[in-house]
């Protein structure tokens, strides 16, 4: 009788030379997983590196195994979180239980729906068999998740639920250019994806830590994912009433602290009262700003800010939800897609480390990899959703 085996290892490097960093992280991952040659590689890195040189080094060291990933605001493994400009993490996987089919799409800014349709056409045959999840790593500055999802799901037309998990790429709070990785390619304004299939299951959990501040508002003019007016006034004008003088001058500082809370749809009962949205771009000329999902005129919104106590309670909620799904089965791999707004811009180093340890101790053992995102992708129940200022945990078992 053949015993099915999945091996996985994780490596991290802070070396500033991209060639050395790639080699070091891959060698560490292969050694920790007891792997000679990986079947698949996940890669997340910060943007201080020459991205193409870094990717080439990782590909060379891993025997050119298929690869998916993106740039992040920071990286994380079990026992360590790093938000410096020079941080690389690798998860190498060798398995006769799991299969990965990966690819890429570009042109999110002009046609997120078309990209979603193209992904569906590529994965279609395999998505109907034993697919477990679709990992997505998208440009955090140009992604319209709702349009992508519509293109994907309408084209796939699956009879069963296919969870989407992943995160939006970042660039160390510069909000200028993010990077996606697929095999040998580094690109922007796109999505790198990996379809996971095989003889296994996947557990997931989502939780945010934001609370409303101030009165309820209504969106009175919008188009697609751009908000032009709130309560009949220019949207930016209303937003600025919730900002300090420093935040008004420094948009990066403003979006670190202030987010939008949309009323959670009724079919997502039990999630939270609010779905949180990040505001990556604005237009001072027309007083508008853009979020990563579609907006409906008349929608009720609240301005929200993060709350440390709620974040802390959410850590325990995440672990409990994952462990409930795992039961007696140990996890083989764990992925963490955590909002950059829950990192160093919000928490002191000792707080961040303590929360990470608290989460990882409750889901012991399995190789763990992740990154700080500009937006998180994870299901709520049987509905695929985009989140901000949220943590998404996915465990393969």
């Amino acid at each position: 009788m053949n015993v099915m085996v999945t091996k996985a290892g994780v490596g991290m490097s802070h070396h500033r030379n991209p060639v050395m960093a790639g080699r070091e992280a891959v060698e560490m991952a292969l050694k920790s997983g007891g792997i000679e040659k990986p079947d698949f590689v996940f890669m997340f890195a910060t943007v201080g590196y020459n991205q193409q040189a870094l990717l080439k080094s990782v590909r060379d060291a891993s025997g050119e195994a298929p690869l998916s990933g993106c740039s992040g605001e920071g990286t994380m493994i079990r026992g360590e979180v790093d938000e410096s400009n020079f941080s690389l993490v690798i998860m190498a996987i060798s398995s006769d239980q799991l299969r990965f089919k990966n690819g890429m799409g570009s042109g999110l800014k002009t046609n997120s729906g078309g990209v979603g349709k193209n992904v569906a056409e590529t994965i279609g045959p395999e998505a109907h068999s034993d697919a477990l999840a679709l990992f997505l790593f998208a440009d955090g500055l140009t992604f319209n998740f709702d349009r992508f999802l519509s293109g994907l799901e309408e084209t796939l037309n699956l009879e069963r639920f296919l969870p989407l998990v992943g995160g939006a790429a970042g660039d160390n709070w510069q909000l200028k250019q993010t990077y996606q990785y697929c095999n040998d390619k580094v690109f922007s304004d796109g999505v790198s994806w990996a379809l996971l299939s095989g003889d296994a299951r996947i557990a997931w959990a989502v939780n945010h830590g934001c609370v409303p501040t101030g009165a309820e508002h209504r969106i009175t003019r919008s188009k697609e994912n751009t908000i032009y007016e709130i309560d009949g006034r220019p949207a930016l004008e209303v937003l600025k009433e919730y900002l300090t003088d420093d935040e008004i001058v420094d948009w990066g500082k403003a979006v670190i602290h202030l987010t939008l809370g949309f009323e959670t749809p009724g079919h997502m009962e039990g999630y939270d009262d609010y779905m949180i949205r990040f505001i990556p771009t604005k237009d001072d000329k027309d007083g508008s700003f853009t979020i990563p999902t579609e907006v409906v005129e008349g929608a009720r919104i609240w301005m929200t800010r993060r709350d440390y106590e709620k974040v802390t309670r959410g850590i325990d909620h995440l672990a409990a939800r994952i462990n409930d799904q795992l039961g007696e089965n140990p996890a083989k791999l764990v992925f963490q897609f955590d909002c950059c707004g829950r990192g160093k811009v919000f928490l002191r180093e000792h707080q961040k480390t303590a929360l990470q340890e608290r989460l990882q101790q409750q889901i012991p053992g399995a190789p763990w990899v992740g990154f700080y995102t500009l937006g998180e992708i994870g299901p709520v129940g049987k509905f695929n959703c985009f989140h901000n200022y949220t943590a998404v945990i996915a465990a393969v078992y």
Side-chain angles (χ1 to χ4, degrees):
M1 181 178 176
N2 292 329
V3 178
M4 306 286 275
V5 176
T6 294
K7 296 180 179 180
V10 173
M12 182 181 239
S13 179
H14 311 296
H15 205 295
R16 292 192 168 218
N17 181 306
V19 177
M20 296 298 293
R23 187 182 307 156
E24 182 177 62
V26 172
E27 288 176 355
M28 186 185 301
L30 297 180
K31 183 177 180 180
S32 67
I35 298 169
E36 289 187 17
K37 186 179 186 306
D39 297 319
F40 198 79
V41 170
F42 285 97
M43 168 182 167
F44 308 114
T46 52
V47 296
Y49 297 106
N50 177 307
Q51 299 286 298
Q52 192 66 60
L54 185 69
L55 178 61
K56 183 179 186 307
S57 178
V58 169
R59 292 279 284 164
D60 289 347
S62 61
E64 298 193 342
L67 177 150
S68 289
C70 66
S71 61
E73 303 291 344
T75 64
M76 54 193 68
I77 61 173
R78 191 174 286 279
E80 188 172 356
V81 175
D82 189 283
E83 293 183 77
S84 71
N85 273 336
F86 296 92
S87 178
L88 165 68
V89 293
I90 295 294
M91 176 181 276
I93 301 166
S94 173
S95 177
D96 49 16
Q97 295 172 293
L98 306 176
R99 304 189 315 277
F100 291 92
K101 177 182 180 67
N102 71 321
M104 58 174 281
S106 58
L108 289 178
K109 186 172 184 177
T110 56
N111 192 9
S112 285
V115 176
K117 180 180 178 181
N118 291 340
V119 174
E121 290 171 346
T122 306
I123 69 172
E126 295 196 36
H128 285 272
S129 58
D130 57 352
L132 299 170
L134 180 63
F135 286 85
L136 295 175
F137 310 113
D139 192 321
L141 302 177
T142 61
F143 193 35
N144 183 327
F145 175 79
D146 288 337
R147 297 235 159 178
F148 177 92
L149 183 66
S150 293
L152 179 81
E153 292 187 338
E154 289 171 8
T155 306
L156 277 179
N157 193 27
L158 296 179
E159 295 181 358
R160 62 188 184 86
F161 179 64
L162 178 66
L164 308 185
V165 293
D171 62 349
N172 286 18
W173 287 107
Q174 297 172 50
L175 303 181
K176 292 179 180 177
Q177 183 177 18
T178 76
Y179 303 95
Q180 294 78 61
Y181 318 132
C182 178
N183 298 338
D184 290 323
K185 292 185 172 60
V186 175
F187 56 105
S188 302
D189 188 32
V191 59
S192 174
W193 55 265
L195 181 70
L196 168 63
S197 304
D199 183 18
R201 299 178 184 177
I202 186 164
W204 62 81
V206 180
N207 192 266
H208 75 71
C210 294
V211 295
T213 176
E216 172 190 318
H217 299 277
R218 283 193 183 268
I219 295 173
T220 47
R221 188 163 71 90
S222 64
K223 182 180 179 182
E224 297 179 1
N225 58 334
T226 300
I227 300 173
Y228 292 96
E229 291 183 3
I230 297 173
D231 299 336
R233 300 163 55 202
L236 272 179
E237 188 178 299
V238 176
L239 200 70
K240 287 177 180 178
E241 293 176 356
Y242 289 85
L243 301 175
T244 65
D245 290 342
D246 287 345
E247 290 170 347
I248 290 173
V249 173
D250 185 343
W251 184 249
K253 186 178 290 186
V255 299
I256 286 171
H257 297 294
L258 190 68
T259 60
L260 296 186
F262 283 77
E263 189 175 20
T264 298
H267 63 260
M268 295 180 190
E269 185 178 350
Y271 168 63
D272 191 277
D273 292 336
Y274 307 99
M275 299 287 290
I276 307 302
R277 291 291 176 262
F278 172 61
I279 311 166
T281 59
K282 65 181 174 74
D283 188 329
D284 290 307
K285 292 180 181 178
D286 62 15
S288 69
F289 56 80
T290 301
I291 63 173
T293 53
E294 294 281 285
V295 182
V296 178
E297 290 183 359
R300 299 195 299 167
I301 61 169
W302 289 259
M303 303 301 165
T304 62
R305 288 181 182 261
R306 290 150 301 164
D307 178 79
Y308 179 72
E309 294 300 323
K310 189 170 183 179
V311 169
T312 303
R313 292 194 303 271
I315 291 294
D316 296 333
H317 173 80
L318 285 167
R321 288 289 305 277
I322 292 294
N323 286 323
D324 283 347
Q325 294 168 76
L326 292 177
E328 299 298 317
N329 304 292
K332 302 177 189 297
L333 322 165
V334 180
F335 298 87
Q336 180 177 359
F337 307 113
D338 212 329
C339 180
C340 54
R342 293 161 54 101
K344 66 184 180 182
V345 297
F346 173 53
L347 299 170
R348 293 174 180 169
E349 194 66 29
H350 72 277
Q351 292 175 315
K352 185 173 67 175
T353 301
L355 286 177
Q356 190 74 353
E357 288 177 354
R358 182 171 178 154
L359 175 61
Q360 292 179 339
Q361 285 171 1
Q362 295 179 70
I363 310 172
W368 189 299
V369 73
F371 70 102
Y372 279 114
T373 74
L374 278 184
E376 305 77 57
I377 301 166
V380 175
K382 296 296 184 180
F383 297 91
N384 286 310
C385 301
F386 190 88
H387 312 269
N388 288 121
Y389 292 79
T390 298
V392 173
I393 303 295
V396 179
Y397 65 104

